[in-house]
Amino acid sequence: MSESNKKKSVNLTVNRRAKHDYFILETHEAGIQLVGTEVKVVRNGEAGLSGAWINVEKGELFLHQVTIPPYAFGNRFNHDSLRTRRLLMHKREIRKLQAASEQKGLSLIPLRLYLNPKGRVKVEIGVCRGKAQHD
């Protein structure tokens, strides 16, 4: 297969603040559980990741404070813009991220939302250590 035929991932939104506020130690890929109108808004690039964070509850990953505004042409089935969204990963990967997040000074931060070559919305998760003001 030639290089021109290979599909690449398309960035939908990037958390630029994360690279400024944190040292990114490692990255992981996770799926995200979205409702129908959320997918349309995210594909339009209207989502915002600033201030977003991830935690592990009962063996599941949850994404908090991601702003996905209501769909303009939505109806009564429109979504809540700041609802908590579940992330999809294998259990062994979740346990690894949970162990990392329980270490002192480490956080799980979403770095970007993107479309993979199959058209699925994915989240890039960074295991991060906060920077001091003078760094």
Side-chain angles (χ1 to χ4, degrees):
M1 184 183 290
S2 68
E3 291 295 320
S4 61
N5 290 343
K6 290 183 180 178
K7 295 183 180 178
K8 296 182 180 179
S9 63
V10 178
N11 283 344
L12 300 172
T13 185
V14 177
N15 189 352
R16 292 184 183 152
R17 200 74 194 146
K19 290 185 180 178
H20 182 266
D21 292 341
Y22 299 97
F23 294 111
I24 300 168
L25 305 177
E26 58 185 73
T27 60
H28 299 275
E29 178 184 72
I32 183 169
Q33 186 175 7
L34 298 173
V35 297
T37 57
E38 287 177 328
V39 174
K40 293 176 185 232
V41 173
V42 169
R43 282 179 177 251
N44 287 338
E46 299 174 20
L49 288 176
S50 61
W53 52 281
I54 298 168
N55 74 332
V56 182
E57 298 172 10
K58 300 179 183 176
E60 293 182 327
L61 286 172
F62 290 97
L63 184 59
H64 299 274
Q65 298 298 316
V66 172
T67 306
I68 300 178
Y71 183 53
F73 302 105
N75 52 16
R76 63 186 177 158
F77 299 112
N78 237 341
H79 61 276
D80 178 27
S81 63
L82 283 175
R83 76 178 183 90
T84 301
R85 293 161 180 92
R86 188 164 71 115
L87 297 179
L88 310 171
M89 291 182 87
H90 292 284
K91 284 199 183 286
R92 68 180 177 275
E93 293 173 314
I94 293 173
R95 283 193 294 265
K96 181 179 176 185
L97 288 177
Q98 183 176 12
S101 70
E102 289 172 352
Q103 289 182 13
K104 186 174 181 177
L106 294 183
S107 303
L108 301 177
I109 306 294
L111 302 176
R112 66 182 178 125
L113 285 174
Y114 62 96
L115 284 176
N116 71 352
K118 292 184 179 180
R120 307 272 185 191
V121 178
K122 300 288 184 175
V123 179
E124 185 176 34
I125 300 170
V127 177
C128 304
R129 182 178 311 279
K131 289 184 181 178
Q133 289 288 4
H134 61 274
D135 287 343

